[in-house]
């Protein structure tokens, strides 16, 4: 497939719109799962830690399976994957309405919906990058706000649907709404040139066909010989009976020579195929070793190692508020009459604002993106420490807005990764970091829930969350300080592609 030059417009804006609505429809319910979390606690009577696994799996499984999602989109294309994933998300939500226990929800809502969201995220980002080059940052920024807007709207929508139709009816209606992803996916027309001729198959692509042909010859050569021999003899015997015996002997000699030539050719091709398979296996093994060597080189970069720890600890401590904040308010005995807006909706709308403002700040040359990211981590840790002291809706709403805004640092995380490892290693490094981000998303809410089950209050849980985020922020700050780089340079030379403060300050 030969792709044209990205048009940076045209049908690309349709791709941006449908990608926005795709992320809106698929991530709306999983990000606003805190509303459902309260209903599942009452419906199944399980502990908070065990129940929190449902939402954490739905939000973390897509990141954990990001390599598989990338392979699927590369193999089948964005449009087929988007349509298939739409069925997954809608089906998972509808199946969750019939869940008899919490373990069924782990599969239907946690794994099925979570994996569908991961596939859709990869598909929307891939198709958008194909259509945009110069305006790629703007396009990706626009579609990424779809999930935040979905969190804002779905939090209030699911609460209203639960009051009108109950938990089961809410999940059925939300699942039906998710079927609109199929319409969005059908508009994700691949950017390819229909006029250009298809590229010739490489030697690797041709080998399976050749092997198939000779494999068929091996099975049918004896059968073909017998058929030809019989037909030739019958025809000769009809026309000339006296010459039948002589022609029969001549025909057998001729077919025998053909048979020998076919077998020799087949054996030769089998030997060639065997040698090729050995070379291919050796090459794949070398690529595998090269991948792990490059991974080890990445972890020799102390800033990358600190970034890996920081993103893991940030998601362990920073993600639970978006899932548990509604239960925190209920545990603080805040009356529902005091609710002007769901706390999760406040987190969602402020996340959108944070993504836009932090993304704009990162484009200024005088702003160090790494220090900006560290600042958001440290402020997040302080806000988490303040949650146990919030006893009213107003204070919880303010903290929800602050945490939502700081969570928008996801928009500058690719900038930080690029300045840390370089653009040539961005894909490799970003995949590793996203895997550990998904691990943190999956572990954070259950850990906070287990703390509550153990202590019967959220104070210790959020102290632990704040400590995790602060620890990650301080480690990353320590690794990026110029004085630390100077001390390291006195003992040994920096390895290639190591992050330095001077490079980052000019970014």
């Amino acid at each position: 497939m030969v792709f044209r030059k990205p048009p940076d417009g045209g049908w690309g804006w349709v791709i941006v719109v449908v990608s926005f609505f795709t992320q809106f429809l698929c991530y709306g319910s999983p990000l606003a799962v805190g509303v459902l979390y309260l209903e599942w606690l009452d419906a199944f009577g399980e502990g908070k830690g065990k129940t929190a696994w449902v939402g954490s799996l739905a939000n973390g499984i897509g990141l954990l399976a990001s390599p598989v999602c990338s392979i699927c989109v590369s193999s089948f294309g964005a449009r087929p994957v988007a349509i298939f994933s739409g069925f997954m998300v809608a089906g998972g939500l509808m199946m969750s309405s019939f869940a008899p226990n919490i373990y069924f929800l782990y599969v239907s809502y946690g794994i099925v919906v979570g994996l569908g969201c991961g596939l859709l995220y990869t598909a929307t980002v891939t198709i958008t990058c194909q259509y945009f080059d110069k305006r790629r940052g703007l396009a990706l920024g626009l579609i990424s706000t779809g999930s935040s807007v979905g969190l804002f709207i779905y939090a209030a929508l699911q609460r209203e649907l639960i009051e009108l139709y109950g938990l089961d009816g809410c999940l059925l209606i939300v699942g039906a709404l998710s079927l609109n992803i199929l319409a969005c996916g059908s508009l994700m027309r691949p950017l390819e040139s229909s006029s250009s001729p298809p590229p010739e198959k490489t030697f690797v692509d041709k080998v399976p066909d050749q092997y198939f042909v000779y494999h068929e010859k091996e099975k049918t050569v004896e059968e073909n010989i017998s058929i030809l021999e019989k037909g030739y003899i019958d025809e000769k015997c009809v026309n000339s009976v006296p010459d039948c015996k002589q022609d029969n002997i001549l025909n057998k000699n001729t077919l025998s020579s053909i048979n020998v030539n076919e077998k020799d050719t087949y054996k030769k091709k089998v030997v060639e195929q065997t040698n090729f398979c050995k070379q291919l296996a050796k090459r794949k093994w070398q690529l595998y070793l090269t991948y792990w060597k490059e991974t080890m080189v990445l972890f020799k970069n102390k800033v990358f190692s600190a970034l890996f720890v920081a993103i893991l600890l940030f998601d362990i401590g920073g993600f639970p508020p978006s899932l548990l904040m509604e239960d925190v308010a209920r545990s603080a005995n805040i009356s529902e009459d005091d609710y002007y807006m769901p706390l999760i909706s406040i987190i969602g709308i402020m996340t959108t604002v944070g993504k836009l403002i932090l993304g704009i700040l990162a484009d200024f040359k005088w702003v160090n993106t790494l220090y900006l990211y560290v600042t958001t981590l440290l402020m997040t840790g302080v806000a988490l420490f303040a949650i146990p002291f919030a006893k009213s809706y107003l204070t919880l709403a303010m903290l929800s807005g602050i945490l939502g805004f700081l969570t928008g640092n996801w928009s500058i995380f690719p900038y930080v990764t690029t300045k840390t490892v370089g653009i040539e290693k961005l894909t490799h490094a970003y995949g590793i970091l996203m895997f550990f981000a998904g691990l943190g998303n999956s572990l954070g809410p259950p850990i906070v829930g287990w703390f509550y089950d153990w202590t019967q209050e959220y104070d210790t849980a959020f102290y632990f969350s704040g400590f995790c985020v602060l620890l990650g922020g301080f480690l990353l700050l320590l690794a990026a300080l110029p004085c630390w780089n100077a001390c390291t340079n006195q003992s040994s030379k920096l390895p290639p592609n190591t992050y330095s403060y001077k490079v980052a300050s000019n970014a």
Side-chain angles (χ1 to χ4, degrees), residues 125-159:
V125 170
T126 301
I127 193 70
T128 303
C129 290
Q130 290 177 1
Y131 271 87
F132 288 90
D133 183 15
K134 296 179 181 178
R135 299 178 179 177
R136 183 174 296 169
L138 173 62
L140 291 175
L142 290 173
I143 69 170
S144 67
T145 58
S147 58
S148 301
V149 176
L151 169 59
F152 171 72
I153 294 178
Y154 268 74
L157 175 64
Q158 290 183 148
R159 180 186 293 274

Side-chain angles (χ1 to χ4, degrees), residues 1 58 79 123 129 160 203 273 279 313 328 395-396 423 455 495:
M1 183 179 294
R79 179 160 57 184
C129 290
E160 189 68 24
F203 180 68
Q273 176 66 20
Q279 295 175 359
L313 294 177
V328 171
T395 53
L396 282 176
I423 189 64
T455 62

